[in-house]
Amino acid sequence: MARRRHEEEHENHERWLVSYADFITLLFSFFVVMYAISTLSESKYKVLSDSLLQAFRHDRVVTAQTTGLAPMNRTTPGPPRKVPRAVNVVRIQQEQKLLSIAQKITDALRALMQSGQVKLTQLPQGLAVEINASVLFAPGQAALQPDVVPSLVDVAHTLAGVDNVVHIEGHTDNLPIQTPLYPSNWELSGARASSVVRLFAANGVDPARLRAVGFAENHPVDTNDTAEGRQRNRRVTLLILADVPNGDSAAHPVAPKEAPLSPQDAAAPATIVPVASTPPAAAPGTATLPAASVPPISAAPPGKSPRNG
């Protein structure tokens, strides 16, 4: 039998594709891993950051004995900073001074405080005496009522004996007013504040320490939707500013939460926090009238009936 001739195998010239495919697969896997490593998880990063902050803020000093590692320089929190004793003494004197002023004003306005027409409030920047406009002025007018002048004169004598800066703030409700003398609530609120300023200046208070500020209806303490709320919003506030440690008087910052004082609590111990000494500046939305440049205020002409009280 004839032996078959062994056919010669065909040589494959495309075997390189197998190696190339393996290389491409490994390269793809490499970049996938690199991408996964470079993508940060925000939640895990925050946990790591908080852990590091907690570790570095720990009061215990890490030493080589406790960790077995080489010692590392570490800054430890120093002792709390102590307030100079002189500053504490000045602050205590200021608190006692404001409490004495509060007691004298309470004695001068006791009848009005008991009837709810006056409220004495302790603020971080000083003392606020809120007087309802109904006991000071006739509706739509800026001339002081004669029966309230003696009480205000007593307050002026108290303020004449101290060197605190006093802001007199006039406030109205949102009812519009249009008279020849007061075209808007801005003029009315500023004129009412100026009337009190002139009375204080005429009774011994240094005019350089007085500020007359008109806020119109922009700083209500109650709603203007009811008659009771509008009546409370029509007011004059005496803000007696606390002194700062260097002896100057504080500026007028934004008023925080109030803490009303009753006549019985006016002499109780309290903490008065002085604020930074910044030159007084009118807040946005206010109209400031110099005490010495405001013309005398007379009654409104009978031609037009004012609508704002």
Side-chain angles (χ1 to χ4, degrees), residues 157-196:
H157 291 164
T158 298
L159 298 178
V162 296
D163 56 357
N164 300 70
V165 172
V166 182
H167 287 187
I168 291 87
E169 303 172 352
H171 302 268
T172 65
D173 57 26
N174 65 341
L175 295 180
I177 183 174
Q178 188 175 3
T179 66
L181 195 57
Y182 309 116
S184 70
N185 286 325
W186 289 108
E187 288 80 9
L188 179 61
S189 62
R192 287 180 169 179
S194 299
S195 294
V196 179

PDB file of all heavy atoms in Angstrom, residues 157-196:
ATOM      1  N   HIS A 157     -32.015 115.188  83.535  1.00  0.00           N
ATOM      2  CA  HIS A 157     -31.095 115.464  84.643  1.00  0.00           C
ATOM      3  C   HIS A 157     -30.257 114.227  84.971  1.00  0.00           C
ATOM      4  O   HIS A 157     -29.077 114.353  85.345  1.00  0.00           O
ATOM      5  CB  HIS A 157     -31.896 115.907  85.875  1.00  0.00           C
ATOM      6  CG  HIS A 157     -32.539 117.249  85.701  1.00  0.00           C
ATOM      7  ND1 HIS A 157     -33.552 117.709  86.520  1.00  0.00           N
ATOM      8  CD2 HIS A 157     -32.315 118.239  84.792  1.00  0.00           C
ATOM      9  CE1 HIS A 157     -33.912 118.925  86.130  1.00  0.00           C
ATOM     10  NE2 HIS A 157     -33.185 119.266  85.089  1.00  0.00           N
ATOM     11  N   THR A 158     -30.840 113.038  84.844  1.00  0.00           N
ATOM     12  CA  THR A 158     -30.069 111.814  85.067  1.00  0.00           C
ATOM     13  C   THR A 158     -28.990 111.659  84.003  1.00  0.00           C
ATOM     14  O   THR A 158     -27.831 111.351  84.311  1.00  0.00           O
ATOM     15  CB  THR A 158     -31.004 110.590  85.046  1.00  0.00           C
ATOM     16  OG1 THR A 158     -31.951 110.708  86.107  1.00  0.00           O
ATOM     17  CG2 THR A 158     -30.212 109.305  85.194  1.00  0.00           C
ATOM     18  N   LEU A 159     -29.348 111.900  82.737  1.00  0.00           N
ATOM     19  CA  LEU A 159     -28.381 111.738  81.657  1.00  0.00           C
ATOM     20  C   LEU A 159     -27.335 112.848  81.666  1.00  0.00           C
ATOM     21  O   LEU A 159     -26.226 112.658  81.151  1.00  0.00           O
ATOM     22  CB  LEU A 159     -29.110 111.731  80.311  1.00  0.00           C
ATOM     23  CG  LEU A 159     -30.109 110.580  80.103  1.00  0.00           C
ATOM     24  CD1 LEU A 159     -30.800 110.712  78.758  1.00  0.00           C
ATOM     25  CD2 LEU A 159     -29.412 109.235  80.223  1.00  0.00           C
ATOM     26  N   ALA A 160     -27.656 113.999  82.232  1.00  0.00           N
ATOM     27  CA  ALA A 160     -26.678 115.089  82.293  1.00  0.00           C
ATOM     28  C   ALA A 160     -25.522 114.747  83.216  1.00  0.00           C
ATOM     29  O   ALA A 160     -24.423 115.300  83.063  1.00  0.00           O
ATOM     30  CB  ALA A 160     -27.359 116.376  82.747  1.00  0.00           C
ATOM     31  N   GLY A 161     -25.749 113.842  84.171  1.00  0.00           N
ATOM     32  CA  GLY A 161     -24.697 113.486  85.116  1.00  0.00           C
ATOM     33  C   GLY A 161     -23.783 112.379  84.640  1.00  0.00           C
ATOM     34  O   GLY A 161     -22.879 111.982  85.376  1.00  0.00           O
ATOM     35  N   VAL A 162     -23.993 111.851  83.426  1.00  0.00           N
ATOM     36  CA  VAL A 162     -23.136 110.794  82.886  1.00  0.00           C
ATOM     37  C   VAL A 162     -22.600 111.265  81.540  1.00  0.00           C
ATOM     38  O   VAL A 162     -23.001 112.310  81.017  1.00  0.00           O
ATOM     39  CB  VAL A 162     -23.914 109.469  82.740  1.00  0.00           C
ATOM     40  CG1 VAL A 162     -24.362 108.961  84.109  1.00  0.00           C
ATOM     41  CG2 VAL A 162     -25.106 109.633  81.818  1.00  0.00           C
ATOM     42  N   ASP A 163     -21.674 110.494  80.982  1.00  0.00           N
ATOM     43  CA  ASP A 163     -21.060 110.881  79.709  1.00  0.00           C
ATOM     44  C   ASP A 163     -21.380 109.899  78.586  1.00  0.00           C
ATOM     45  O   ASP A 163     -20.679 109.854  77.582  1.00  0.00           O
ATOM     46  CB  ASP A 163     -19.542 111.002  79.876  1.00  0.00           C
ATOM     47  CG  ASP A 163     -18.921 109.725  80.420  1.00  0.00           C
ATOM     48  OD1 ASP A 163     -19.677 108.768  80.720  1.00  0.00           O
ATOM     49  OD2 ASP A 163     -17.681 109.672  80.549  1.00  0.00           O
ATOM     50  N   ASN A 164     -22.417 109.102  78.734  1.00  0.00           N
ATOM     51  CA  ASN A 164     -22.785 108.135  77.695  1.00  0.00           C
ATOM     52  C   ASN A 164     -23.432 108.822  76.501  1.00  0.00           C
ATOM     53  O   ASN A 164     -24.147 109.814  76.653  1.00  0.00           O
ATOM     54  CB  ASN A 164     -23.752 107.092  78.250  1.00  0.00           C
ATOM     55  CG  ASN A 164     -23.168 106.319  79.409  1.00  0.00           C
ATOM     56  OD1 ASN A 164     -22.982 106.857  80.490  1.00  0.00           O
ATOM     57  ND2 ASN A 164     -22.871 105.058  79.191  1.00  0.00           N
ATOM     58  N   VAL A 165     -23.196 108.288  75.319  1.00  0.00           N
ATOM     59  CA  VAL A 165     -23.879 108.754  74.109  1.00  0.00           C
ATOM     60  C   VAL A 165     -25.311 108.248  74.138  1.00  0.00           C
ATOM     61  O   VAL A 165     -25.585 107.104  74.527  1.00  0.00           O
ATOM     62  CB  VAL A 165     -23.152 108.249  72.849  1.00  0.00           C
ATOM     63  CG1 VAL A 165     -23.957 108.548  71.583  1.00  0.00           C
ATOM     64  CG2 VAL A 165     -21.768 108.891  72.745  1.00  0.00           C
ATOM     65  N   VAL A 166     -26.244 109.100  73.737  1.00  0.00           N
ATOM     66  CA  VAL A 166     -27.667 108.759  73.774  1.00  0.00           C
ATOM     67  C   VAL A 166     -28.237 108.932  72.370  1.00  0.00           C
ATOM     68  O   VAL A 166     -28.138 110.003  71.772  1.00  0.00           O
ATOM     69  CB  VAL A 166     -28.434 109.652  74.776  1.00  0.00           C
ATOM     70  CG1 VAL A 166     -29.898 109.232  74.824  1.00  0.00           C
ATOM     71  CG2 VAL A 166     -27.798 109.573  76.157  1.00  0.00           C
ATOM     72  N   HIS A 167     -28.825 107.847  71.853  1.00  0.00           N
ATOM     73  CA  HIS A 167     -29.538 107.899  70.575  1.00  0.00           C
ATOM     74  C   HIS A 167     -31.035 108.002  70.858  1.00  0.00           C
ATOM     75  O   HIS A 167     -31.591 107.151  71.563  1.00  0.00           O
ATOM     76  CB  HIS A 167     -29.266 106.639  69.749  1.00  0.00           C
ATOM     77  CG  HIS A 167     -27.893 106.595  69.172  1.00  0.00           C
ATOM     78  ND1 HIS A 167     -27.477 105.621  68.287  1.00  0.00           N
ATOM     79  CD2 HIS A 167     -26.824 107.413  69.340  1.00  0.00           C
ATOM     80  CE1 HIS A 167     -26.226 105.843  67.941  1.00  0.00           C
ATOM     81  NE2 HIS A 167     -25.801 106.919  68.576  1.00  0.00           N
ATOM     82  N   ILE A 168     -31.665 109.011  70.303  1.00  0.00           N
ATOM     83  CA  ILE A 168     -33.125 109.149  70.408  1.00  0.00           C
ATOM     84  C   ILE A 168     -33.708 108.756  69.056  1.00  0.00           C
ATOM     85  O   ILE A 168     -33.433 109.416  68.041  1.00  0.00           O
ATOM     86  CB  ILE A 168     -33.545 110.569  70.814  1.00  0.00           C
ATOM     87  CG1 ILE A 168     -33.140 110.850  72.272  1.00  0.00           C
ATOM     88  CG2 ILE A 168     -35.046 110.722  70.696  1.00  0.00           C
ATOM     89  CD1 ILE A 168     -31.760 111.370  72.445  1.00  0.00           C
ATOM     90  N   GLU A 169     -34.478 107.679  69.033  1.00  0.00           N
ATOM     91  CA  GLU A 169     -34.990 107.112  67.789  1.00  0.00           C
ATOM     92  C   GLU A 169     -36.495 107.331  67.701  1.00  0.00           C
ATOM     93  O   GLU A 169     -37.228 106.974  68.623  1.00  0.00           O
ATOM     94  CB  GLU A 169     -34.678 105.613  67.718  1.00  0.00           C
ATOM     95  CG  GLU A 169     -33.199 105.289  67.844  1.00  0.00           C
ATOM     96  CD  GLU A 169     -32.948 103.807  67.968  1.00  0.00           C
ATOM     97  OE1 GLU A 169     -33.959 103.057  68.113  1.00  0.00           O
ATOM     98  OE2 GLU A 169     -31.789 103.380  67.909  1.00  0.00           O
ATOM     99  N   GLY A 170     -36.937 107.899  66.589  1.00  0.00           N
ATOM    100  CA  GLY A 170     -38.357 108.079  66.345  1.00  0.00           C
ATOM    101  C   GLY A 170     -38.888 107.000  65.415  1.00  0.00           C
ATOM    102  O   GLY A 170     -38.264 106.674  64.402  1.00  0.00           O
ATOM    103  N   HIS A 171     -40.042 106.427  65.762  1.00  0.00           N
ATOM    104  CA  HIS A 171     -40.657 105.355  64.973  1.00  0.00           C
ATOM    105  C   HIS A 171     -42.142 105.676  64.770  1.00  0.00           C
ATOM    106  O   HIS A 171     -42.790 106.236  65.653  1.00  0.00           O
ATOM    107  CB  HIS A 171     -40.526 104.002  65.671  1.00  0.00           C
ATOM    108  CG  HIS A 171     -39.115 103.600  65.958  1.00  0.00           C
ATOM    109  ND1 HIS A 171     -38.361 102.842  65.083  1.00  0.00           N
ATOM    110  CD2 HIS A 171     -38.314 103.845  67.037  1.00  0.00           C
ATOM    111  CE1 HIS A 171     -37.157 102.634  65.602  1.00  0.00           C
ATOM    112  NE2 HIS A 171     -37.104 103.237  66.785  1.00  0.00           N
ATOM    113  N   THR A 172     -42.676 105.285  63.623  1.00  0.00           N
ATOM    114  CA  THR A 172     -44.092 105.452  63.335  1.00  0.00           C
ATOM    115  C   THR A 172     -44.670 104.121  62.864  1.00  0.00           C
ATOM    116  O   THR A 172     -43.938 103.133  62.709  1.00  0.00           O
ATOM    117  CB  THR A 172     -44.320 106.507  62.237  1.00  0.00           C
ATOM    118  OG1 THR A 172     -43.759 106.029  61.004  1.00  0.00           O
ATOM    119  CG2 THR A 172     -43.666 107.827  62.600  1.00  0.00           C
ATOM    120  N   ASP A 173     -45.993 104.098  62.628  1.00  0.00           N
ATOM    121  CA  ASP A 173     -46.596 102.922  61.997  1.00  0.00           C
ATOM    122  C   ASP A 173     -46.540 103.102  60.478  1.00  0.00           C
ATOM    123  O   ASP A 173     -45.893 104.018  59.975  1.00  0.00           O
ATOM    124  CB  ASP A 173     -48.027 102.717  62.500  1.00  0.00           C
ATOM    125  CG  ASP A 173     -48.896 103.944  62.258  1.00  0.00           C
ATOM    126  OD1 ASP A 173     -48.599 104.718  61.333  1.00  0.00           O
ATOM    127  OD2 ASP A 173     -49.875 104.144  63.012  1.00  0.00           O
ATOM    128  N   ASN A 174     -47.216 102.211  59.758  1.00  0.00           N
ATOM    129  CA  ASN A 174     -47.134 102.262  58.295  1.00  0.00           C
ATOM    130  C   ASN A 174     -48.251 103.067  57.643  1.00  0.00           C
ATOM    131  O   ASN A 174     -48.365 103.076  56.416  1.00  0.00           O
ATOM    132  CB  ASN A 174     -47.134 100.848  57.728  1.00  0.00           C
ATOM    133  CG  ASN A 174     -48.444 100.122  57.985  1.00  0.00           C
ATOM    134  OD1 ASN A 174     -49.228 100.506  58.860  1.00  0.00           O
ATOM    135  ND2 ASN A 174     -48.685  99.050  57.245  1.00  0.00           N
ATOM    136  N   LEU A 175     -49.081 103.732  58.445  1.00  0.00           N
ATOM    137  CA  LEU A 175     -50.127 104.576  57.858  1.00  0.00           C
ATOM    138  C   LEU A 175     -49.488 105.833  57.282  1.00  0.00           C
ATOM    139  O   LEU A 175     -48.717 106.520  57.966  1.00  0.00           O
ATOM    140  CB  LEU A 175     -51.175 104.947  58.907  1.00  0.00           C
ATOM    141  CG  LEU A 175     -52.006 103.791  59.463  1.00  0.00           C
ATOM    142  CD1 LEU A 175     -53.002 104.302  60.484  1.00  0.00           C
ATOM    143  CD2 LEU A 175     -52.723 103.042  58.344  1.00  0.00           C
ATOM    144  N   PRO A 176     -49.769 106.162  56.036  1.00  0.00           N
ATOM    145  CA  PRO A 176     -49.124 107.341  55.434  1.00  0.00           C
ATOM    146  C   PRO A 176     -49.640 108.640  56.045  1.00  0.00           C
ATOM    147  O   PRO A 176     -50.771 108.727  56.520  1.00  0.00           O
ATOM    148  CB  PRO A 176     -49.498 107.234  53.951  1.00  0.00           C
ATOM    149  CG  PRO A 176     -50.773 106.452  53.941  1.00  0.00           C
ATOM    150  CD  PRO A 176     -50.687 105.485  55.097  1.00  0.00           C
ATOM    151  N   ILE A 177     -48.787 109.639  56.040  1.00  0.00           N
ATOM    152  CA  ILE A 177     -49.148 110.970  56.501  1.00  0.00           C
ATOM    153  C   ILE A 177     -48.718 111.959  55.431  1.00  0.00           C
ATOM    154  O   ILE A 177     -47.656 111.805  54.809  1.00  0.00           O
ATOM    155  CB  ILE A 177     -48.494 111.311  57.858  1.00  0.00           C
ATOM    156  CG1 ILE A 177     -48.952 112.688  58.332  1.00  0.00           C
ATOM    157  CG2 ILE A 177     -46.989 111.227  57.783  1.00  0.00           C
ATOM    158  CD1 ILE A 177     -48.460 113.034  59.729  1.00  0.00           C
ATOM    159  N   GLN A 178     -49.539 112.974  55.187  1.00  0.00           N
ATOM    160  CA  GLN A 178     -49.209 113.978  54.172  1.00  0.00           C
ATOM    161  C   GLN A 178     -49.790 115.316  54.603  1.00  0.00           C
ATOM    162  O   GLN A 178     -50.952 115.621  54.383  1.00  0.00           O
ATOM    163  CB  GLN A 178     -49.760 113.562  52.800  1.00  0.00           C
ATOM    164  CG  GLN A 178     -49.284 114.477  51.681  1.00  0.00           C
ATOM    165  CD  GLN A 178     -49.744 113.979  50.331  1.00  0.00           C
ATOM    166  OE1 GLN A 178     -50.456 112.988  50.241  1.00  0.00           O
ATOM    167  NE2 GLN A 178     -49.346 114.682  49.276  1.00  0.00           N
ATOM    168  N   THR A 179     -48.949 116.084  55.262  1.00  0.00           N
ATOM    169  CA  THR A 179     -49.314 117.427  55.686  1.00  0.00           C
ATOM    170  C   THR A 179     -48.239 118.383  55.197  1.00  0.00           C
ATOM    171  O   THR A 179     -47.129 117.961  54.844  1.00  0.00           O
ATOM    172  CB  THR A 179     -49.425 117.502  57.219  1.00  0.00           C
ATOM    173  OG1 THR A 179     -48.115 117.288  57.790  1.00  0.00           O
ATOM    174  CG2 THR A 179     -50.385 116.453  57.762  1.00  0.00           C
ATOM    175  N   PRO A 180     -48.521 119.681  55.162  1.00  0.00           N
ATOM    176  CA  PRO A 180     -47.476 120.635  54.736  1.00  0.00           C
ATOM    177  C   PRO A 180     -46.225 120.564  55.597  1.00  0.00           C
ATOM    178  O   PRO A 180     -45.114 120.809  55.099  1.00  0.00           O
ATOM    179  CB  PRO A 180     -48.172 121.987  54.859  1.00  0.00           C
ATOM    180  CG  PRO A 180     -49.629 121.680  54.712  1.00  0.00           C
ATOM    181  CD  PRO A 180     -49.828 120.342  55.356  1.00  0.00           C
ATOM    182  N   LEU A 181     -46.366 120.233  56.869  1.00  0.00           N
ATOM    183  CA  LEU A 181     -45.204 120.179  57.753  1.00  0.00           C
ATOM    184  C   LEU A 181     -44.494 118.839  57.691  1.00  0.00           C
ATOM    185  O   LEU A 181     -43.261 118.760  57.797  1.00  0.00           O
ATOM    186  CB  LEU A 181     -45.644 120.468  59.190  1.00  0.00           C
ATOM    187  CG  LEU A 181     -44.544 120.800  60.195  1.00  0.00           C
ATOM    188  CD1 LEU A 181     -43.714 121.992  59.735  1.00  0.00           C
ATOM    189  CD2 LEU A 181     -45.149 121.076  61.561  1.00  0.00           C
ATOM    190  N   TYR A 182     -45.241 117.750  57.513  1.00  0.00           N
ATOM    191  CA  TYR A 182     -44.671 116.404  57.492  1.00  0.00           C
ATOM    192  C   TYR A 182     -45.164 115.687  56.238  1.00  0.00           C
ATOM    193  O   TYR A 182     -46.208 115.024  56.260  1.00  0.00           O
ATOM    194  CB  TYR A 182     -45.056 115.617  58.740  1.00  0.00           C
ATOM    195  CG  TYR A 182     -44.787 116.369  60.023  1.00  0.00           C
ATOM    196  CD1 TYR A 182     -45.834 116.749  60.865  1.00  0.00           C
ATOM    197  CD2 TYR A 182     -43.500 116.717  60.375  1.00  0.00           C
ATOM    198  CE1 TYR A 182     -45.591 117.442  62.028  1.00  0.00           C
ATOM    199  CE2 TYR A 182     -43.248 117.425  61.538  1.00  0.00           C
ATOM    200  CZ  TYR A 182     -44.295 117.783  62.356  1.00  0.00           C
ATOM    201  OH  TYR A 182     -44.056 118.479  63.500  1.00  0.00           O
ATOM    202  N   PRO A 183     -44.449 115.772  55.141  1.00  0.00           N
ATOM    203  CA  PRO A 183     -44.895 115.111  53.907  1.00  0.00           C
ATOM    204  C   PRO A 183     -44.927 113.590  54.002  1.00  0.00           C
ATOM    205  O   PRO A 183     -45.634 112.939  53.247  1.00  0.00           O
ATOM    206  CB  PRO A 183     -43.861 115.574  52.864  1.00  0.00           C
ATOM    207  CG  PRO A 183     -43.222 116.788  53.459  1.00  0.00           C
ATOM    208  CD  PRO A 183     -43.253 116.577  54.936  1.00  0.00           C
ATOM    209  N   SER A 184     -44.129 112.993  54.921  1.00  0.00           N
ATOM    210  CA  SER A 184     -44.092 111.537  55.053  1.00  0.00           C
ATOM    211  C   SER A 184     -43.717 111.181  56.484  1.00  0.00           C
ATOM    212  O   SER A 184     -43.435 112.051  57.321  1.00  0.00           O
ATOM    213  CB  SER A 184     -43.085 110.924  54.071  1.00  0.00           C
ATOM    214  OG  SER A 184     -41.761 111.250  54.458  1.00  0.00           O
ATOM    215  N   ASN A 185     -43.706 109.887  56.773  1.00  0.00           N
ATOM    216  CA  ASN A 185     -43.345 109.411  58.112  1.00  0.00           C
ATOM    217  C   ASN A 185     -41.871 109.656  58.441  1.00  0.00           C
ATOM    218  O   ASN A 185     -41.493 109.637  59.618  1.00  0.00           O
ATOM    219  CB  ASN A 185     -43.657 107.923  58.242  1.00  0.00           C
ATOM    220  CG  ASN A 185     -45.144 107.657  58.368  1.00  0.00           C
ATOM    221  OD1 ASN A 185     -45.876 108.440  58.978  1.00  0.00           O
ATOM    222  ND2 ASN A 185     -45.606 106.557  57.792  1.00  0.00           N
ATOM    223  N   TRP A 186     -41.040 109.849  57.412  1.00  0.00           N
ATOM    224  CA  TRP A 186     -39.640 110.165  57.688  1.00  0.00           C
ATOM    225  C   TRP A 186     -39.525 111.489  58.444  1.00  0.00           C
ATOM    226  O   TRP A 186     -38.816 111.580  59.453  1.00  0.00           O
ATOM    227  CB  TRP A 186     -38.851 110.250  56.381  1.00  0.00           C
ATOM    228  CG  TRP A 186     -38.632 108.946  55.705  1.00  0.00           C
ATOM    229  CD1 TRP A 186     -39.222 108.500  54.560  1.00  0.00           C
ATOM    230  CD2 TRP A 186     -37.742 107.904  56.125  1.00  0.00           C
ATOM    231  NE1 TRP A 186     -38.765 107.245  54.248  1.00  0.00           N
ATOM    232  CE2 TRP A 186     -37.847 106.860  55.186  1.00  0.00           C
ATOM    233  CE3 TRP A 186     -36.863 107.753  57.201  1.00  0.00           C
ATOM    234  CZ2 TRP A 186     -37.116 105.689  55.292  1.00  0.00           C
ATOM    235  CZ3 TRP A 186     -36.130 106.580  57.304  1.00  0.00           C
ATOM    236  CH2 TRP A 186     -36.259 105.558  56.368  1.00  0.00           C
ATOM    237  N   GLU A 187     -40.192 112.502  57.948  1.00  0.00           N
ATOM    238  CA  GLU A 187     -40.136 113.807  58.609  1.00  0.00           C
ATOM    239  C   GLU A 187     -40.763 113.759  59.999  1.00  0.00           C
ATOM    240  O   GLU A 187     -40.249 114.361  60.950  1.00  0.00           O
ATOM    241  CB  GLU A 187     -40.850 114.862  57.754  1.00  0.00           C
ATOM    242  CG  GLU A 187     -40.095 115.270  56.492  1.00  0.00           C
ATOM    243  CD  GLU A 187     -40.260 114.274  55.360  1.00  0.00           C
ATOM    244  OE1 GLU A 187     -41.095 113.343  55.498  1.00  0.00           O
ATOM    245  OE2 GLU A 187     -39.565 114.401  54.344  1.00  0.00           O
ATOM    246  N   LEU A 188     -41.881 113.027  60.138  1.00  0.00           N
ATOM    247  CA  LEU A 188     -42.553 112.964  61.428  1.00  0.00           C
ATOM    248  C   LEU A 188     -41.689 112.263  62.465  1.00  0.00           C
ATOM    249  O   LEU A 188     -41.527 112.752  63.592  1.00  0.00           O
ATOM    250  CB  LEU A 188     -43.898 112.248  61.280  1.00  0.00           C
ATOM    251  CG  LEU A 188     -44.713 112.088  62.568  1.00  0.00           C
ATOM    252  CD1 LEU A 188     -45.056 113.449  63.159  1.00  0.00           C
ATOM    253  CD2 LEU A 188     -45.979 111.277  62.312  1.00  0.00           C
ATOM    254  N   SER A 189     -41.112 111.101  62.104  1.00  0.00           N
ATOM    255  CA  SER A 189     -40.287 110.370  63.068  1.00  0.00           C
ATOM    256  C   SER A 189     -39.032 111.148  63.434  1.00  0.00           C
ATOM    257  O   SER A 189     -38.629 111.184  64.604  1.00  0.00           O
ATOM    258  CB  SER A 189     -39.911 108.999  62.495  1.00  0.00           C
ATOM    259  OG  SER A 189     -39.146 109.140  61.309  1.00  0.00           O
ATOM    260  N   GLY A 190     -38.409 111.791  62.445  1.00  0.00           N
ATOM    261  CA  GLY A 190     -37.221 112.590  62.758  1.00  0.00           C
ATOM    262  C   GLY A 190     -37.546 113.795  63.608  1.00  0.00           C
ATOM    263  O   GLY A 190     -36.777 114.169  64.501  1.00  0.00           O
ATOM    264  N   ALA A 191     -38.688 114.445  63.348  1.00  0.00           N
ATOM    265  CA  ALA A 191     -39.068 115.619  64.134  1.00  0.00           C
ATOM    266  C   ALA A 191     -39.380 115.236  65.575  1.00  0.00           C
ATOM    267  O   ALA A 191     -39.047 115.974  66.510  1.00  0.00           O
ATOM    268  CB  ALA A 191     -40.267 116.308  63.490  1.00  0.00           C
ATOM    269  N   ARG A 192     -40.033 114.101  65.784  1.00  0.00           N
ATOM    270  CA  ARG A 192     -40.320 113.661  67.156  1.00  0.00           C
ATOM    271  C   ARG A 192     -39.045 113.354  67.914  1.00  0.00           C
ATOM    272  O   ARG A 192     -38.910 113.711  69.097  1.00  0.00           O
ATOM    273  CB  ARG A 192     -41.242 112.444  67.107  1.00  0.00           C
ATOM    274  CG  ARG A 192     -42.675 112.801  66.723  1.00  0.00           C
ATOM    275  CD  ARG A 192     -43.566 111.582  66.669  1.00  0.00           C
ATOM    276  NE  ARG A 192     -44.980 111.967  66.546  1.00  0.00           N
ATOM    277  CZ  ARG A 192     -45.988 111.109  66.457  1.00  0.00           C
ATOM    278  NH1 ARG A 192     -45.748 109.811  66.471  1.00  0.00           N
ATOM    279  NH2 ARG A 192     -47.229 111.555  66.359  1.00  0.00           N
ATOM    280  N   ALA A 193     -38.099 112.694  67.265  1.00  0.00           N
ATOM    281  CA  ALA A 193     -36.819 112.437  67.919  1.00  0.00           C
ATOM    282  C   ALA A 193     -36.098 113.737  68.238  1.00  0.00           C
ATOM    283  O   ALA A 193     -35.501 113.896  69.318  1.00  0.00           O
ATOM    284  CB  ALA A 193     -35.952 111.538  67.033  1.00  0.00           C
ATOM    285  N   SER A 194     -36.166 114.704  67.330  1.00  0.00           N
ATOM    286  CA  SER A 194     -35.497 115.983  67.558  1.00  0.00           C
ATOM    287  C   SER A 194     -36.145 116.773  68.687  1.00  0.00           C
ATOM    288  O   SER A 194     -35.462 117.509  69.410  1.00  0.00           O
ATOM    289  CB  SER A 194     -35.514 116.809  66.273  1.00  0.00           C
ATOM    290  OG  SER A 194     -34.824 116.137  65.240  1.00  0.00           O
ATOM    291  N   SER A 195     -37.452 116.629  68.878  1.00  0.00           N
ATOM    292  CA  SER A 195     -38.111 117.324  69.994  1.00  0.00           C
ATOM    293  C   SER A 195     -37.562 116.847  71.330  1.00  0.00           C
ATOM    294  O   SER A 195     -37.303 117.648  72.236  1.00  0.00           O
ATOM    295  CB  SER A 195     -39.620 117.077  69.925  1.00  0.00           C
ATOM    296  OG  SER A 195     -40.178 117.671  68.770  1.00  0.00           O
ATOM    297  N   VAL A 196     -37.356 115.551  71.460  1.00  0.00           N
ATOM    298  CA  VAL A 196     -36.798 115.021  72.702  1.00  0.00           C
ATOM    299  C   VAL A 196     -35.341 115.450  72.855  1.00  0.00           C
ATOM    300  O   VAL A 196     -34.882 115.788  73.956  1.00  0.00           O
ATOM    301  CB  VAL A 196     -36.937 113.483  72.727  1.00  0.00           C
ATOM    302  CG1 VAL A 196     -36.337 112.905  74.007  1.00  0.00           C
ATOM    303  CG2 VAL A 196     -38.403 113.077  72.597  1.00  0.00           C
TER     304      VAL A 196
END
